[in-house]
Structures are given as structure tokens and as C-alpha cells.
Amino acid sequence: MKDLTHFVNGQHVAGGSGRFADVYNPALGEVQSRVPLASKAEVDAAIAAAAEAQPKWAATNPQRRARVLMEFVRLLNRDMQNLAEALSAEHGKTVPDAKGDVQRGLEVIEFCIGAPHLLKGEFSDSAGPGIDMYSMRQPLGVVAGITPFNFPAMIPMWKLGPALACGNAFILKPSERAPTVPLMLAALLQEAGLPDGVLQVVNGDKEAVDAILDNPEIQAIGFVGSTPIAQYIYGRGCSNGKRVQCFGGAKNHMIVMPDADMDQAADALVGAGYGAAGERCMAISVAVPVGEETADRLIEKLLPRIEKLKVGPYTAGPDVDYGPVVTAEAKARVLGLIDKGVAEGAELVLDGRNFSLQGYEKGFFVGPTLFDRVTTDMEIYRTEIFGPVLSTVRAKTYEEALGYAMDHEYGNGTAIFTRDGDTARDFASRINIGMVGINVPIPVPLAYHTFGGWKKSGFGDLNQHGPDAFRFYTRTKTVTSRWPSGMKEGGEFHFKQMD
Ligand code: NAD
């Protein structure tokens, strides 16, 4: 069996801790490799080497840094197919979906190529007599990213792109469930001209994360993953004096108004609810039709569409709609939550629990599942399921539907489907959720806007990518200068313009 590595100082380095985690092919349900779990000493050594490499990278002018990223984009396009297949083999998502994962990360790198413009400071000429004042954005030093399994290409690139463009060295701790693509990204960045040591990939679990959280050299941490871990990392990182932003879980509601185009709404729900087996932080997991008649029409439209979904391995070709969930534990958790929903009295319209695929009996597949008449006290409503399960909560009025989304503890994304401009505008203005779609089910902002949830979906200041990322990965210094020619001889301060 293949043992994966770390990527330190431009080299693929074997793990030295003696600890490994199995990495599965979720479609086959078989272990395909082992990933080393770094010890604290290994993480500390990688950070120390990054700290040595960082000053030279910071002193490299921003255009040159941007050129490395430009070449990286070319290499990502060159290797798109390989990256996507490696990603699908560990994550289970379809190859077109995996290409989307790489593509959305690539777009963030394209945005970062504009770093010279984004890093420009501000200048106030003659802020006082003979006095100029200017501010500059400087890199923080060594920063880290801790990322989840569900976007093994995109989310590391959300973090490393802006961090490197700003002149930082970057420590990436990817998910131990999908570590291959992050290692491939590091090798491509090296090929693109990134100096050794500026990007280090350390694989690992809690021990590696804690080493990052406690290392005094680390100036900032960007985390994406589940909410309990986000809260833990935010608390420990902040108490160690670091700049920390953590993005957590989600329960995204889509409100369907009676005037919505019901075919469009049903198509949107199927894509947003079941795509990538529901393992997206922006997946729609709750449909909220307003009015009994709307709910009945929606279910009637949804059911045949969901029944037609083709579930299978990524190797089965372009007709597959979604693949397995990531691990046996993830599958058991999703099935357990479906059982719970039934026990709590939700109406199971479509049951995906007994799904089986010939030749892939050991794979971690879950069939598409649809619940109706879910209520807000049920666990399937309160918990992020992160599987191909859509819950329908019927609301009597728009206000009631809005209230459900507002009162949920998560606030990552949401959507409303309506033809009424007033309702759409009211929704966008009042909702307490970070990303809002109007007749758009998965409103993921493009790379030049920022991405971030509210409430228990996001902790800390500033969002990911877009201009916020350049603020997060730099600190501002403000210089006030007065030139000697503005002073009278003899050391006494005197301002020409005041004479
Ligand atoms: P996870 O929280 O299990 O893991 C995320 C990272 O934290 C991994 O690198 C993992 O190794 C590390 N980690 C896990 N347990 C840890 C512990 N006890 N101590 C320290 N570090 C630990 O998340 P996941 O299952 O990989 O990803 C799915 C979650 O990520 C979902 O909740 C999803 O909504 C969320 N997510 C959020 C966003 C967003 O932008 N808000 C984007 C993608 C995914």
C-alpha cells in the first residue's frame, strides 16, 4: 500500500512519527493509501524552516510573487484531469464536480495575481505642514491553514493564494481524509517557481493542529471545517495571541414562495441538496415552502426528479449525479440521522438507507433521501447532516419561513425563490446569514467577493478570499513623516507653510 508524505522544504518527506491514518477510496470502501500523522516536533521543524524562508519571499516584489501564481494557474489547467481524478478517488465526488473544486480554487489564485494592486497602501500628502502620512500593508510572517475534506483543492487555495501573494510563508494542514491533492498543489507551486520552504504541507490530526495553535512563530490561522472544531481552534488560537478566522458548519434553508417558478425551484433543490452527496457547506438541506399548496406542488415536482438521480462511482462516467460519502463513519452517521428523523415523526418520502450498487457493495453510498413535515425541534432539522438528505419544513407565511432561517444557529448560506421583487429585497435585507441567493440556490461568491458565514458558521473577523483575504493576511503600518527641510536650522521645529 502507498504511504503518502509531507511536503517540506520542497521535498516529499516521509512521516517520522510512526503514526498513520488510512485514506479510503469511498466508492470501493477500500483503503488506498496511508497518510502520515505529524508529531509536534515535525510540525515545529516545518514551521521553523518556513520562518527562515519567509523574509526573502516577503522582500520579493509583489509582481514577481504574482508571476509565480500566474504560472501556477497554467499548471493547474495543464494538470486539471489528474488533479480531478486524484480528488475523486479520495473524496468520492464526480470528476466534473472535482474539476469544479479545482476551478474555483484556481479562480482565487487568478484574483491573487492582482496582489500588487491590492497591496497598495494609502498616502496623504501634506497631512500637516511639511508632513506626509502613509500606510502600507506588510505580511504577517508564517501563517497557517487548516482545511476540511470536502473541497481538497479549493479551500487550501482560498488560504494559500492570498497568504503567499501577500508575502507570507504558509503551513497547510489539510484533511487527513483527502490529502493527495494538497500535496499535488504544493508540488505544482514549486514547479511554478515558489522558493522551497515558503509553503509547507504537514499532514496530521489533532496533534499537528495543536502544534500549529501553540507555536509562537505562527501569526495567523485560517480554519474551515465543522463548528465544534472551529470553536476550539478559534478559542485556543486567540488565547495564544494569534489572528484567527474559523468557518464552520451549516444548515442552509431555501424558501420557496407560492409565486416561484416551481420547476426551477425543484431543479435548484435537487442540485443544491444532493450534489456532491450533500457534502457541501453551501448545500441546501432544508426546503421551506410557504403555504400547504406550495409544499404539495413542490414535493410533487421534486419526487420524480430525485428518483431519477444516478448515484455511482466517479469512474462510471458523466451520467453519475453524485458519489459516495467520504467514510464508513460518515455513512453510519447519515443513516443514523435518517433513523432518528423517522423515529421523531418526520414523513420519509424517499428512503436512501438501503441503497446498494452492484460491484460496489462495500462503497459508502447513501441513496437520495427526502423528508416532509419536518419540525424545528427534530434533530434532523437542528443538526448538519452532511449527506444526501433534504428536509422539508412547511411554513404558513413568509414571516414564519424567514423566522426559521433566522432562528437557526447556523448562518452560512440561504436562498429564496420568488418572482416578487419586494419579498426578495426584504429577505436579502433582513436575513442574518452571510450569503444569500435570490433564485440562486448555492450563492457562493466569486473570487473577487468575499465568502463567509454568520452566527455559528463563522468565528473571527473578515471573510475568506476577495479583498478581505488581503486584509487578513497583512497588517497595516502607518508612517508619519516630516522632512528636515520642513524645519528651521538650529533644531527648532518650524513649518515652512506656517511662516
Ligand atoms: P472537521 O472539523 O472534521 O475537520 C476539519 C479540519 O480540522 C481537518 O484538517 C481535521 O484534521 C481537523 N480536526 C478534526 N478534528 C480535530 C480536533 N479534534 N482537533 C484539532 N483539529 C481537528 O471537518 P470536515 O469533516 O473535514 O469538513 C466538513 C465540515 O466542514 C462541515 O461541517 C462543513 O459544513 C464544514 N465546511 C465549512 C465551510 C465554510 O466555509 N463555512 C466550507 C467547507 C466545509
Side-chain angles (χ1 to χ4, degrees):
M1 192 194 313
K2 190 172 153 201
D3 277 350
L4 301 173
T5 61
H6 307 295
F7 191 86
V8 178
N9 293 332
Q11 311 266 336
H12 286 279
V13 179
S17 71
R19 292 196 309 125
F20 291 87
D22 290 335
V23 181
Y24 282 83
N25 177 320
L28 299 172
E30 287 171 1
V31 177
Q32 61 173 1
S33 60
R34 297 194 311 168
V35 61
L37 302 174
S39 64
K40 180 179 182 328
E42 286 174 294
V43 174
D44 286 344
I47 294 171
E52 248 181 67
Q54 191 268 336
K56 195 165 169 206
W57 178 242
T60 304
N61 71 50
Q63 302 96 289
R64 280 178 184 273
R65 296 200 300 253
R67 273 181 216 132
V68 171
L69 296 180
M70 215 183 297
E71 177 62 2
F72 180 45
V73 168
R74 191 185 72 76
L75 299 176
L76 287 169
N77 278 313
R78 183 195 71 186
D79 289 3
M80 180 66 83
Q81 186 70 23
N82 287 347
L83 287 160
E85 284 176 15
L87 199 157
S88 295
E90 283 180 355
H91 178 286
K93 62 175 77 173
T94 65
V95 172
D97 209 10
K99 284 185 181 168
D101 191 330
V102 179
Q103 177 65 28
R104 294 306 291 264
L106 181 157
E107 287 167 11
V108 170
I109 305 297
E110 284 175 337
F111 174 74
C112 294
I113 292 169
H117 173 68
L118 290 157
L119 290 171
K120 279 190 310 203
E122 291 168 334
F123 187 86
S124 296
D125 176 42
S126 301
I131 295 178
D132 297 330
M133 199 174 287
Y134 59 97
S135 56
M136 49 182 153
R137 294 197 166 277
Q138 295 192 319
L140 301 175
V142 185
V143 299
I146 299 162
T147 55
F149 80 86
N150 70 325
F151 283 98
M154 178 182 82
I155 296 180
M157 286 194 266
W158 281 359
K159 307 286 178 195
L160 64 83
L164 295 176
C166 292
N168 301 286
F170 192 78
I171 307 292
L172 175 63
K173 207 305 283 170
S175 168
E176 62 275 37
R177 281 173 275 171
T180 291
V181 167
L183 290 167
M184 291 169 83
L185 297 178
L188 289 182
L189 270 160
Q190 183 189 38
E191 189 181 341
L194 189 72
D196 292 349
V198 174
L199 170 68
Q200 315 274 47
V201 182
V202 285
N203 282 304
D205 56 4
K206 186 173 181 345
E207 181 173 342
V209 171
D210 287 349
I212 291 170
L213 290 172
D214 294 342
N215 189 303
E217 197 68 60
I218 297 288
Q219 303 298 311
I221 297 171
F223 169 87
V224 182
S226 60
T227 289
I229 309 300
Q231 281 177 301
Y232 166 70
I233 286 176
Y234 188 67
R236 188 155 167 174
C238 287
S239 70
N240 283 336
K242 302 181 192 310
R243 187 180 287 192
V244 190
Q245 57 173 203
C246 292
F247 297 92
K251 194 80 179 175
N252 304 318
H253 294 54
M254 179 172 135
I255 294 173
V256 183
M257 296 298 293
D259 67 351
D261 179 318
M262 221 44 75
D263 286 300
Q264 262 181 25
D267 285 339
L269 272 171
V270 172
Y274 300 98
E279 289 178 326
R280 291 178 179 144
C281 69
M282 289 292 280
I284 294 288
S285 47
V286 183
V288 191
V290 173
E292 285 295 315
E293 200 198 322
T294 312
D296 292 342
R297 277 163 59 214
L298 184 65
I299 297 282
E300 193 183 301
K301 298 268 184 197
L302 272 175
L303 193 54
R305 286 168 162 85
I306 300 172
E307 281 170 333
K308 260 195 237 142
L309 286 173
K310 195 167 167 212
V311 183
Y314 74 94
T315 43
D319 292 344
V320 171
D321 291 297
Y322 76 81
V325 296
V326 68
T327 55
E329 293 73 40
K331 177 174 173 173
R333 188 178 164 275
V334 174
L335 297 186
L337 280 161
I338 300 174
D339 291 344
K340 193 84 200 265
V342 174
E344 286 181 324
E347 188 183 311
L348 187 59
V349 182
L350 198 62
D351 185 356
R353 285 176 292 184
N354 295 317
F355 181 89
S356 174
L357 199 62
Q358 208 184 356
Y360 295 90
E361 288 79 2
K362 287 195 315 184
F364 310 137
F365 294 98
V366 181
T369 300
L370 177 65
F371 277 112
D372 194 6
R373 300 183 193 280
V374 172
T375 54
T376 55
D377 54 339
M378 292 180 185
E379 193 169 341
I380 51 166
Y381 176 74
R382 295 196 313 269
T383 307
E384 179 183 42
I385 299 176
F386 227 52
V389 181
L390 181 66
S391 297
T392 310
V393 179
R394 295 176 173 229
K396 289 189 191 63
T397 61
Y398 163 69
E399 286 296 330
E400 188 182 326
L402 178 73
Y404 290 150
M406 300 268 289
D407 291 344
H408 204 285
E409 64 173 350
Y410 291 120
N412 210 38
T414 188
I416 188 166
F417 272 62
T418 179
R419 289 188 171 99
D420 183 77
D422 275 348
T423 310
R425 188 169 185 277
D426 181 79
F427 183 72
S429 148
R430 284 166 67 195
I431 195 77
N432 54 358
I433 288 174
M435 289 164 284
V436 182
I438 296 170
N439 298 316
V440 172
I442 305 190
V444 174
L446 290 177
Y448 41 93
H449 286 265
T450 63
F451 181 113
W454 291 15
K455 298 186 278 182
K456 285 203 169 163
S457 298
F459 304 87
D461 198 8
L462 297 173
N463 277 353
Q464 311 182 88
H465 64 66
D468 268 12
F470 280 73
R471 295 184 192 113
F472 184 74
Y473 288 113
T474 52
R475 53 168 73 92
T476 309
K477 186 181 280 173
T478 308
V479 179
T480 305
S481 67
R482 182 163 55 189
W483 295 97
S485 60
M487 302 174 203
K488 259 196 172 164
E489 277 179 15
E492 191 191 333
F493 289 113
H494 194 87
F495 300 123
K496 275 182 182 168
Q497 291 170 17
M498 291 175 82
D499 285 344

